[in-house]
Amino acid sequence: MNILEPYYRISNVTGISLEMRNDGTIQWHLCSVSARGKELHLGEKISGITSLSGVTDYLRAKTAVALNLTGKGILHKRVEKLESIDQQVFGGIMPNANLEDFYVQHFPSGQWSFVSMIRKTEADRWLSQLKEMGWVPLMLSLGGFPIVHIIHQLNLYESEITIAGHYVTRSPQSEWIDYQFKEGSAAQFPVKLASERIDERLLVPYAAAFQLVMNDALKPVAAMAPALDSTLTARLARNKFRTNASVVIAVFFVLLLTNFLFLSHLQQANEQLSLQAGQFERSALSSSDRQAAITEKERLLRDMGWEDGTKKSILIDQLASLMPEEVQLREVAVDPQDIVASRSEKATVFADRMLKIIGTSDKVVTVSEWMARIKLRPWVKQVRMDSYAYDRDLRTGIFVMTLNY
């Protein structure tokens, strides 16, 4: 895969869903999607409006648009799986109909093909309206089929799902068995996109925008529209040209900068030859520098637990000799890392003169008894139990004890 391919894509797209209702009214739903690196972000989300006139405040001119048409005037048919659709195949689906008069969408899934169609005169009316608003339609889809690419992002797991009137029946293998548009029906429970609750009417425009942004990584479910395909191809080619040109310019800039730095380095090296003897003398550490270096190394040794001559193994043996039989050791850490200090100083800091003990015991009283014995040792400054919790898997209690000496 070309590492520049993510930069060729159309990174800012608005999905627009037009729902044409049986009573002759229409509703528009909009959802903008932007790609930043490997992440997708939602932008403007507008649902249930009857006119696009107020949307110009939210969408800039020349915005790339993925249009989805749903409802009255669109015919969906399920047939045996097809490889492609030409005039002959289309005539078998729609007798006496001319393929040139329709925008046709083909969605194969499992053993079935779902063929959706709308008259070009009807769809072109809405595409022209988008162009008059100053936007650039690049893809046309019909019905709820684009949601196939986003179902895995939703909290819908049943074989039968309903999203804003789009009723889908799937097989156990997630293949589509049936599709219907039932105007006015809605999901039984609130729908979440990833972890964010979202108006289900925005899912189809989101899916339309998603498949346009990700058209290089998936096969969009879209109607065959040569004019839109040509515009999309031209836009992708322009993005590719701009990206490649930027890379070439950047490479030339790096080469020029490298050449400049190399020449500067040679000039500085020539000047430094005459000062080599002086640099030798200045390279020696002064007494104060040496002392500072020694102090820093001593601090590092202390942080690593290499303080005085205390033999930790002897201390651990003494603790073990006092341990009741009911207690089992799992881990003993000598001078463990101090998490709080490490975060504040943004460096690895170790706890000084400390033992961290992790073990198991059925009873916390037994651990408390062991701690009482430990406190009698003269070298023990402090001992405390940080936590004790019952582990269902181990069927015993796990404790964490900290000891300062």
Side-chain angles (χ1 to χ4, degrees), residues 11-15 30-36 40-46 58-59 193 196 198 202 206 209:
S11 57
N12 294 284
V13 174
T14 296
L30 291 81
C31 182
S32 296
V33 176
S34 61
R36 303 171 191 169
L40 293 180
H41 300 269
L42 297 184
E44 296 295 339
K45 299 187 288 289
I46 308 172
Y58 302 97
L59 299 184
L193 179 62
E196 178 183 352
I198 188 171
L202 297 174
Y206 166 71

Side-chain angles (χ1 to χ4, degrees), residues 271-273 275-284:
E271 294 174 353
Q272 290 175 356
L273 286 176
L275 303 174
Q276 188 174 14
Q279 290 176 344
F280 250 136
E281 294 176 357
R282 288 192 295 272
S283 65

Side-chain angles (χ1 to χ4, degrees), residues 75-266:
L75 179 63
H76 305 284
K77 284 202 172 185
R78 186 188 71 172
V79 298
E80 294 290 337
K81 189 172 184 179
L82 303 172
E83 293 299 326
S84 61
I85 298 179
D86 54 19
Q87 178 58 52
Q88 182 178 356
V89 173
F90 186 70
I93 300 173
M94 291 284 291
N96 303 321
N98 187 351
L99 179 61
E100 296 297 323
D101 296 334
F102 293 84
Y103 286 124
V104 179
Q105 174 181 282
H106 177 211
F107 171 61
S109 183
Q111 62 178 332
W112 303 106
S113 280
F114 295 87
V115 181
S116 305
M117 62 202 79
I118 185 173
R119 287 194 174 274
K120 288 184 177 180
T121 53
E122 179 68 15
D124 287 341
R125 179 163 65 98
W126 303 114
L127 291 171
S128 298
Q129 184 173 344
L130 295 179
K131 294 176 182 178
E132 291 172 1
M133 302 291 287
W135 305 326
V136 183
L138 298 177
M139 186 175 289
L140 172 66
S141 59
L142 306 176
F145 296 97
I147 64 177
V148 69
H149 296 304
I150 65 165
I151 286 182
H152 65 281
Q153 303 177 32
L154 308 177
N155 60 331
L156 301 175
Y157 312 104
E158 298 81 6
S159 59
E160 297 182 355
I161 61 175
T162 300
I163 300 176
H166 302 280
Y167 179 79
V168 180
T169 304
R170 298 181 298 165
S171 70
Q173 294 75 34
S174 296
E175 296 171 345
W176 287 34
I177 300 175
D178 190 25
Y179 168 81
Q180 299 178 49
F181 178 71
K182 300 179 180 179
E183 183 179 304
S185 60
Q188 185 177 1
F189 302 103
V191 180
K192 289 185 177 181
L193 179 62
S195 60
E196 178 183 352
R197 184 170 176 175
I198 188 171
D199 184 344
E200 62 184 278
R201 294 176 297 176
L202 297 174
L203 291 177
V204 171
Y206 166 71
F210 178 85
Q211 67 176 6
L212 178 53
V213 172
M214 302 297 295
N215 75 92
D216 59 329
L218 51 80
K219 185 177 181 180
V221 183
M224 296 179 289
L228 297 183
D229 293 341
S230 299
T231 305
L232 175 59
T233 301
R235 176 71 73 94
L236 293 173
R238 186 181 67 181
N239 289 354
K240 183 175 182 179
F241 173 79
R242 288 179 175 177
T243 300
N244 291 340
S246 298
V247 171
V248 171
I249 293 173
V251 170
F252 274 113
F253 176 77
V254 171
L255 291 175
L256 290 174
L257 180 60
T258 301
N259 184 58
F260 170 76
L261 294 176
F262 180 68
L263 292 176
S264 299
H265 172 72
L266 291 179

Side-chain angles (χ1 to χ4, degrees), residues 368-383:
S368 299
E369 178 184 350
W370 186 27
M371 292 174 59
R373 298 177 186 176
I374 293 174
K375 290 179 181 179
L376 298 178
R377 288 293 176 178
W379 51 270
V380 176
K381 291 184 178 180
Q382 182 184 16
V383 60

